[in-house]
Amino acid sequence: MAAATQEGSAPQSHHGGGEANLIVPRLDDVHIASFFGLSGASLLAVGVGVAILGLVFGLIVFTQLKNADVHVSMKDISELIYETCKTYLVTQMKFILILEAFIGAIIVVYFGVMQNYFAEGKTLQVIIILLFSIVGIAGSSAVAWFGIRVNTFANSRTAFAALRGKPFPCYAIPLKAGMSIGMLLISVELLIMLGILLVIPGDYAGPCFIGFAIGESLGASALRIAGGIFTKIADIGSDLMKIVFKIKEDDARNPGVIADCTGDNAGDSVGPSADGFETYGVTGVALISFILLAVKDPTGQHANIPVQVQLLVWIFAMRIVMVVASVVSYFINDAIAKGRYANADKMNFEHPLTMLVWITSIVSVILTFIVSNALIPNLGDGTLWWKLSIIITCGTLAGAIIPEFVKVFTSTESGHVREVVTSSREGGPSLNILSGLTAGNYSAYWLGFVLVALMGTAWWVSMQGLGALMTIGAVDASAVFAFGLVAFGFLGMGPVTIAVDSYGPVTDNAQSVYELSVIEQIPDVKDEVKKKFGFDVQFEKAKHFLEENDGAGNTFKATAKPVLIGTAVVGATTMIFSVVVVLTTNVTTGVPLSANLDKLSLLHPPFLLGLIAGGAMIYWFTGASTQAVTTGAYRAVEFIKANIKLEGVEKASITDSKKVVEICTVYAQKGMFNIFLTVFFGTLAFACAESFFFIGYLISIALFGLFQALFMANAGGAWDNAKKVVEVELKEKGSALHDATVVGDTVGDPFKDTSSVAMNPVIKFTTLFGLLAVELAEQIGSQSTRLAIAGVFFLVSMFFVHRSFYGMRINAPARPAATAKDAPAPAE
């Protein structure tokens, strides 16, 4: 146990604020802190059991979906999609390991050389920290693989269940798949973090947490960025064929459709699964770092070990409780939904999903207060248990309130979406795009003030006595902890948030699987299904329910995005605090240098310049990720138009379909490589340039990234569901109105599924990696040397900025040579 490696219970001083000096206190000593007569370590061991049960739940659902009824024509398509997804994921894993070499080198230099681990005979510790960064990558990749496998089981089973002519199975199967992913994802994360806390020796458990967080952040960033580029290249390439050739949605003859289905999983399953895994872990690591750095005794000189232990155990207990709350709420909601809709001929697919989110939120809030009162009734002055519960509740409620605001702008029932449709009827693509931009901008306004209200409430509560435990120098740092708890609360119903997000790719794929299976054209298929499965096939109802449910999937994909984006920004404040501690603490004595806090001001020019630089990087990232989609989509469209066969065939060539997948993969990797190395070398450059410049930069990318992401995600959601309204409700496929909404949707594709969603892992990776980068910079020596190194790194970063645009540019086709008859007529 971590606790067993440290002698006694005397206060431990932190020499500096860096990751190498994060010391996890003993958790196995009841004399330090007792919970129901148990040590913290014994209590958290219960969490290991809960996490294992979560894994079992996920695997049971996995087996149920695998064994569910499905027609062979649909199963074959879903297996083809899975094989292409698996090939894509394996390719990405190899690529991520190349990127890990860059991060690993920094970890080795920082801990091994700068922190003298090699000189002190701690080489094994460096290796273990490095291994945990690889564990982070492996965790992100494993949950991503599980996500695509579950979703590719669920897509064909959903498509087949729709043939019964009832809407309920179309809802129940995708949600069940999503809960399987959510429970396994959170359980794996919890197991790894409890393993570090309870098994790794306390004197370097902190660095292992940081290594793990950086690894999972790298994995999530790469998978989110590459997946977002891949899926939108395929989606745009497939969608534009509807306009060019006047073919139906997911026409089996279109070689772009298989790539689109693969992209639905690469971008909307692999990316969010890895992103959710990383978000859950990084937010926890941020809070752990804060507790170890900021919770001091009354003199402000030493760690307040009892309070640290109580808060650490409380944080992990909340995570355990939230897993329980999510699965209990799922079963409650499932019973209610079955009672209302099991035999219904019509249903609003969004209603039971909304109900699940609210039930989970309410159950989580109730359990938060009950468990907090049981675990930490005497913390501080005896009132902090309910004050901390209120703070974390602000985040838990955000997980339910934010989706309600998002639906105002993205739901098929939304007035804003209806306006996009109405404006498109008379104004075509032009007014369609303008209406979507309007909805996105307006949504960012409202969601911004929702965050202000929730974070403001948390801040006010934190001022009611929490500051006595948390200071940096003479400054009350409790608000930073409160903001971190709000981000933590965002994930209070993590399995459910992941479940409703994963609902979307299953519904999208189910519609595609139905069309690609060409089941309606199979001879005697109705008799076959009746004989083997015992029901009468309802083709028209099946197609209607699958299309309608896809709209609900679009809506709830949209609702999950701002929740994950919000955690990045709110949680970033806690991670940035760690950088502040590094820069405002005497490394030798551990004494705060309050004077340095003056540099966190607009009166310190480098800080202001950093704010400007962060905004510039966010706009570069938006453009670079969109450029990769644009160029890749151009190549995909070019290939599809040249090779699509519409006469005398029922399905597209598998070879042609795989070629489109290859195009998507190539441009996804090119885009990801340029973006990652720009971020990597840019972070090193700005950290070396000037440390408070770097803090301004981190704050700026969080704030610019927040509003850019909210605007783009919700504008894209409005465009997507405007198209769905035209297709499902108005039944106007193939019309000029439909063409206009397809154009709007192709603009929204990179908005909502590439640039916006990747902001979350990019912000967190930059901040986490920045913790190492700024400490390396602080140990370099003279400012002139730092500036020289910063200049070199910045030039390397600029090289990849240049490549991200000009290296990805679409070359114009050569024009034929002019002839005499092409010459202009002479002037009269």
Side-chain angles (χ1 to χ4, degrees), residues 770-791:
L771 298 179
L772 294 183
V774 77
E775 290 193 63
L776 283 171
E778 283 293 302
Q779 296 181 51
I780 286 174
S782 70
Q783 184 62 28
S784 59
T785 303
R786 287 182 62 170
L787 286 174
I789 295 172

Side-chain angles (χ1 to χ4, degrees), residues 24 61 100 126 137 148 152 189 199 222 280 284 333-334 373 410 443 465 546 550 576 594 635 650 654 667 692 710:
V24 176
V61 174
E100 165 67 4
V126 177
I137 293 173
I148 61 172
T152 48
E189 181 77 51
V199 177
Y280 200 75
N333 184 70
D334 188 55
N373 183 45
T410 63
S443 73
L546 290 172
D550 189 24
I576 292 170
S594 299
R635 296 302 175 200
E650 293 181 352
I654 297 298
Y667 283 94
F692 290 91
L710 292 176

Side-chain angles (χ1 to χ4, degrees), residues 8 96 108 203 255 263 299 316 376 384 449 453 467 516 558 577 666 687 777 791 797:
I96 290 173
V108 169
D203 57 352
T299 69
F316 277 90
I376 52 173
L384 293 187
F449 277 103
L516 289 168
F577 172 81
V666 166
S797 176

Side-chain angles (χ1 to χ4, degrees), residues 1-5 24-28 39-49 132 190-202 205 209 312-313 316 320:
M1 291 267 185
T5 64
V24 176
R26 297 186 60 168
L27 300 179
D28 63 348
S39 68
S42 298
L43 182 65
L44 292 181
V46 176
V48 175
F132 269 106
L190 192 56
L191 273 176
I192 295 173
M193 296 193 71
L194 284 173
I196 296 174
L197 190 66
L198 299 177
V199 177
I200 299 298
F209 273 123
L312 286 171
V313 171
F316 277 90
I320 296 164

Side-chain angles (χ1 to χ4, degrees), residues 23-38:
I23 300 176
V24 176
R26 297 186 60 168
L27 300 179
D28 63 348
D29 190 341
V30 294
H31 296 99
I32 296 176
S34 174
F35 306 89
F36 315 117
L38 300 173

Side-chain angles (χ1 to χ4, degrees), residues 162-178:
L163 293 173
R164 296 177 181 271
K166 297 289 185 180
F168 182 73
C170 298
Y171 148 83
I173 295 173
L175 183 60
K176 192 174 187 178

